[in-house]
Amino acid sequence: MTGGAIERFGPLRLGLVAAVLAAGPQLACGSSTPPTTGGAGVGGNGDAAAGAGGAGGAGGAGGLDAGCEPEPSLGAPSPTCNTIPNGAPSVPFTADPGASPSFEGGQIEDGLYFATLVEGTGTTTPAGRRLTLAVTNGGTQLFWNGDVLDGTAQDIEETFAANATATASGSTLTLTTTCASVSPSPLPASMSYTASATTLVLAVVSSSTNAAVTTYTRQGCP
């Protein structure tokens, strides 16, 4: 597969991306230092995959309730791009022997999300994630911060922050990158998606057999 980090390794997932770091992120290819596992930085330790703890769990970041108030812009000048701490766990890649999944679209809930499951079908390049995603403005503003990892989630392949505006049509989410800490942008032009009240599934589907799919679990409010 070709393209940016999320497109090559699956969305930051996403998504995109992937997707997500300290202020002033820099590219960190082939790092031999294993990324931190667990929810450091936003709300302390916790199991993001279970939807509890991490960035505040069901109570939201910093104890906020699940209904997010309108957020001021989370964006920052390049190359920082956004001010979101990356508290996501390190998630290894899981190969799925089946066909590319179908997607249902849906209303994307505002909130803070951690990547909690990274899957790929066909010949998708194995890559893990340690990505935080913030969604604001009624699901139309997306902010990623974190790392694309190797398939075992032990080494960092790329560290980035990236922001985008999003337009949903059916099960397709069209992205316009507004800031990226690395070049070219790690965000694809579009992704397939399925949204629920608690999860956001983002995927780059390159064929009927190849898809890179990242599931993000909502932690609360940014």
Side-chain angles (χ1 to χ4, degrees), residues 1 98-101 120-125 203-213:
M1 300 177 69
S100 297
T121 62
T123 59
T124 299
T125 302
V204 174
V205 180
S206 57
S207 72
S208 61
T209 57
N210 284 0
V213 186

Side-chain angles (χ1 to χ4, degrees), residues 123-136:
T123 59
T124 299
T125 302
R129 296 283 185 277
R130 183 172 178 260
L131 288 177
T132 296
L133 168 65
V135 180
T136 65

Side-chain angles (χ1 to χ4, degrees), residues 12 25 74-82 141-144 160-165 176-187:
L12 329 134
L74 300 176
S78 179
T80 300
C81 291
N82 64 63
Q141 300 287 332
L142 280 64
F143 305 84
W144 279 273
F160 71 94
N163 310 337
T165 58
T176 300
T177 299
T178 57
C179 186
S181 65
V182 296
S183 182
S185 171
L187 305 180

Side-chain angles (χ1 to χ4, degrees), residues 1-2 6-8 10-12 14-17 142 144 164-169 171-177 185-193 201-206 212:
M1 300 177 69
T2 60
I6 291 182
E7 188 170 4
R8 290 198 310 270
L12 329 134
L14 17 168
L16 33 277
V17 324
L142 280 64
W144 279 273
T165 58
T167 303
S169 178
S171 61
T172 299
L173 195 66
T174 300
L175 300 178
T176 300
T177 299
S185 171
L187 305 180
S190 65
M191 290 187 281
S192 299
Y193 84 101
V201 180
L202 298 176
V204 174
V205 180
S206 57

Side-chain angles (χ1 to χ4, degrees), residues 34-129:
T36 301
T37 299
V42 185
N45 296 326
D47 183 358
L64 297 177
D65 62 24
C68 297
E69 296 295 328
E71 288 289 330
S73 175
L74 300 176
S78 179
T80 300
C81 291
N82 64 63
T83 57
I84 302 164
N86 181 24
S90 299
V91 182
F93 176 85
T94 299
D96 184 344
S100 297
S102 59
F103 298 90
E104 301 176 358
Q107 176 61 45
I108 300 174
E109 297 291 333
D110 286 355
L112 188 74
Y113 294 76
F114 288 168
T116 54
L117 180 63
V118 183
E119 301 171 289
T121 62
T123 59
T124 299
T125 302
R129 296 283 185 277

